[in-house]
Amino acid sequence: EMLVAITILAILMAVAVLAIPNHDDRYWRDNLDQLVRSLNMAQEESALSGTIMLAQIDAQGWRFVPVTGAPVSAPNAMISMGGLGSNPPSAQQSILGASGLMPDVYRSKAWYKPVVIEPVQLTLGSETIMQALQIPLAQERRRALLMRATNGRFSWANGVAQ
């Protein structure tokens, strides 16, 4: 009888473990959704206001930096990978709203867990994008592909192997 009770308890424990949701996967998808929403909003706002904005994405997270004094005709296809330069953005370079406060969507964000990505800097503005862009991302066993279409819209696809 004791052996039967232990077997039933083991089966119940196995089912319970399988029923526990994987929060890491949810946080991974949430981070990717936040990144895509922020990039799309920055792209739209840059196009409407004529202000060029840099989006920097690396293993720690992503951030936005306005480019002051840059002409609107600067090439929007300006993408640099493999390093973000020696001067990280300062707090004074943050994007400020009319109230002097930075909109939440442009605040620096950190990944829930570190991500494997070649650092990339995207220039967002009102120019025509000539070539689609795909940036692979990885986190533990999860893979994704950040994509930018020729219309300037960002999206991501899950499960893409690097």
Side-chain angles (χ1 to χ4, degrees), residues 50-52 69-78 123-128:
T51 301
I52 294 174
V72 174
S73 62
N76 196 16
M78 180 177 167
T123 302
L124 308 174
S126 61
E127 298 74 27
T128 303

Side-chain angles (χ1 to χ4, degrees), residues 45 75 103 139 143:
E45 190 169 313
Q139 183 185 73
R143 305 281 182 265

Side-chain angles (χ1 to χ4, degrees), residues 41-55:
M41 182 173 280
Q43 177 68 29
E44 291 170 10
E45 190 169 313
S46 292
L48 290 173
S49 69
T51 301
I52 294 174
M53 195 176 311
L54 296 178

Side-chain angles (χ1 to χ4, degrees), residues 85-161:
S86 58
N87 297 327
S90 67
Q92 292 83 10
Q93 293 174 310
S94 299
I95 300 162
L96 301 177
S99 65
L101 299 174
M102 180 173 25
D104 189 48
V105 73
Y106 297 129
R107 290 192 192 281
S108 295
K109 303 280 187 193
W111 299 104
Y112 171 69
K113 287 187 172 181
V115 170
V116 176
I117 179 176
E118 186 175 338
V120 62
Q121 180 169 291
L122 304 168
T123 302
L124 308 174
S126 61
E127 298 74 27
T128 303
I129 299 162
M130 304 305 271
Q131 183 178 352
L133 174 67
Q134 296 184 347
I135 303 167
L137 300 120
Q139 183 185 73
E140 294 175 347
R141 69 185 191 293
R142 293 173 284 281
R143 305 281 182 265
L145 193 64
L146 178 63
M147 299 174 288
R148 182 183 194 182
T150 55
N151 66 0
R153 298 293 296 170
F154 288 88
S155 62
W156 68 273
N158 203 8
V160 179

